[in-house]
Amino acid sequence: MLRQFVALHTRALFAPTQHRGSVVRLLHASRPVAADLNKEIEAITDLATTAKDEMDFAEESRNSVYYNDDKMAAHDAVEEMTTAYNSLLARLSAADKSAIESRIGMRIKEIQSAYEIMTLNDLED
């Protein structure tokens, strides 16, 4: 009796049904996607750190001969960060987009705003 029960449930568990197969494929497919997503978020976070550092260098070199080069480096770093962030958001669903925005969106916006303020300060000088 026990042997029949085990055989019946084993066949049911491993039967190639449409629903079960799609769930298994989804589970296997979602693992690399989540890992890739975390790698992209980490890369964007690194770009944000670089952009912030470049802006700090530019601010420190204000009123020196190095300022224009430092400001251009800051501009390039902010653009690279923004492009990577927007590219990621464009590929995500609304729910995932919201999660990413709450995870790193504020930092991205802060850096973008700080760069805009730095640019506006140049116009006033």
Side-chain angles (χ1 to χ4, degrees):
M1 179 78 139
L2 179 61
R3 197 174 283 170
Q4 289 174 337
F5 176 80
V6 169
L8 176 66
H9 284 77
T10 302
R11 272 185 260 131
L13 256 176
F14 295 105
T17 63
Q18 182 72 7
H19 177 71
R20 179 165 163 55
S22 63
V23 170
V24 169
R25 278 192 302 277
L26 179 63
L27 287 174
H28 288 295
S30 67
R31 286 188 186 127
V33 170
D36 291 343
L37 185 60
N38 284 333
K39 285 180 184 177
E40 278 192 73
I41 291 169
E42 186 177 322
I44 293 169
T45 302
D46 290 345
L47 290 172
T49 300
T50 300
K52 179 73 172 110
D53 289 345
E54 292 294 343
M55 289 188 329
D56 290 343
F57 294 145
E59 284 297 325
E60 289 172 7
S61 69
R62 187 177 286 280
N63 299 324
S64 78
V65 295
Y66 304 108
Y67 179 67
N68 287 332
D69 289 338
D70 288 347
K71 184 179 173 205
M72 188 57 94
H75 174 267
D76 292 345
V78 170
E79 285 298 313
E80 186 177 2
M81 173 200 69
T82 301
T83 300
Y85 179 68
N86 289 337
S87 173
L88 175 62
L89 291 181
R91 296 188 319 264
L92 297 176
S93 67
D96 291 337
K97 212 182 270 191
S98 178
I100 297 303
E101 287 173 337
S102 68
R103 186 169 167 185
I104 61 172
M106 183 59 73
R107 182 164 187 214
I108 301 297
K109 289 176 183 169
E110 286 173 358
I111 292 170
Q112 290 169 333
S113 295
Y115 179 76
E116 288 176 23
I117 290 169
M118 186 172 76
T119 303
L120 290 174
N121 287 341
D122 286 344
L123 295 176
E124 292 176 1
D125 291 340

